[in-house]
């Protein structure tokens, strides 16, 4: 379930509704945000199936007037080093002027009959700030089919710091709408701080 809003209490309530270690997640997020007022936020809880295990993950995105905060919390089963289940929470704080891209991909059904204002069935929000780059390389060539020379490599670099997918089927239409609200607020903030 994703929620968006603008107050610390609303954020805490959304984290509690996600039902995923709310005290741990709230403390980590509030520590990263500090005293700065919240402009917008999005809480997204995701359950995945890995072989015979069910794993939960929560992502919390927070926007302030000057920063973007992203928090991830994952749970792990015990292992040889840590025999009891445990959770890992990480937060990253990014100045808004560091954000280089906000990509919103929308999937709509029956595009030939699309009516403006109809919510998409799925949204993928991808945010880049240069912390993670994906490099796709392939051998370069020339147009001569008989050429055996080494032409090196060609490729592309893509910023891929955060990608968050919400869907009507998995998360509900309200979550899709809320993801769009957050994406718009973040896009506007990056323009204002760029």
């Amino acid at each position: 379930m994703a929620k968006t809003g603008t107050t610390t209490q609303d954020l805490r309530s959304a984290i509690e509704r996600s039902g995923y270690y709310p005290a741990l997640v709230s403390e980590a997020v509030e520590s990263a945000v500090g005293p700065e007022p919240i402009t917008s936020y999005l809480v997204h809880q995701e359950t995945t199936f890995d072989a015979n295990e069910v794993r939960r993950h929560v992502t919390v995105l927070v926007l302030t007037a000057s920063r973007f905060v992203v928090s991830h919390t994952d749970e792990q089963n015990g292992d040889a080093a840590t025999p009891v289940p445990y959770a890992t929470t990480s937060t990253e704080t990014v100045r808004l002027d560091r954000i280089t891209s906000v990509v919103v991909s929308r999937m709509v059904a029956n595009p030939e009959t699309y009516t403006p204002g109809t919510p998409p069935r799925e949204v993928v929000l991808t945010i880049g700030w240069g912390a993670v780059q994906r490099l796709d390389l392939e051998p370069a060539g020339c147009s001569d089919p008989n050429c055996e020379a080494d032409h090196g490599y060609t490729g592309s670099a893509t910023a891929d710091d955060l990608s968050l997918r919400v869907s009507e089927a998995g998360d509900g239409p309200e979550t899709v709408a809320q993801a769009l609200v957050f994406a718009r607020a973040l896009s506007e903030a990056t323009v204002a701080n760029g």
Side-chain angles (χ1 to χ4, degrees), residues 50-168:
D50 181 18
N52 295 330
E53 298 177 353
V54 176
R55 295 184 187 246
R56 296 182 299 163
H57 175 90
V58 68
T59 301
V60 180
L61 309 179
V62 179
L63 179 62
T64 70
S66 64
R67 298 177 299 138
F68 167 66
V69 177
V70 58
S71 173
H72 295 286
T73 303
D74 292 289
E75 65 183 355
Q76 305 293 326
N77 290 327
D79 54 28
T82 309
V84 297
Y86 61 95
T88 304
T89 299
S90 63
T91 57
E92 183 172 2
T93 302
V94 181
R95 286 189 338 254
L96 288 177
D97 63 358
R98 297 279 319 230
I99 294 179
T100 56
S101 66
V102 178
V103 179
V104 180
S105 300
R106 303 163 192 242
M107 191 278 286
V108 299
N110 303 314
E112 67 280 356
T113 61
Y114 176 77
T115 303
T118 303
R121 297 184 67 180
E122 180 177 302
V123 170
V124 178
L125 174 60
T126 305
I127 304 165
W129 58 90
V132 178
Q133 293 280 329
R134 184 179 65 230
L135 187 60
D136 296 318
L137 293 175
E138 61 184 41
C142 68
S143 60
D144 181 357
N146 298 317
C147 181
E148 295 181 15
D150 182 357
H151 295 286
Y153 289 88
T154 185
S156 61
T158 307
D160 197 15
D161 295 307
L162 174 74
S163 189
L164 182 74
R165 176 186 171 269
V166 295
S167 70
E168 181 181 298

Side-chain angles (χ1 to χ4, degrees), residues 63 68 96 99 102 127 181-191:
L63 179 62
F68 167 66
L96 288 177
I99 294 179
V102 178
I127 304 165
V181 167
F182 182 84
R184 182 175 182 161
L186 182 60
S187 292
E188 290 172 358
T190 59
V191 169

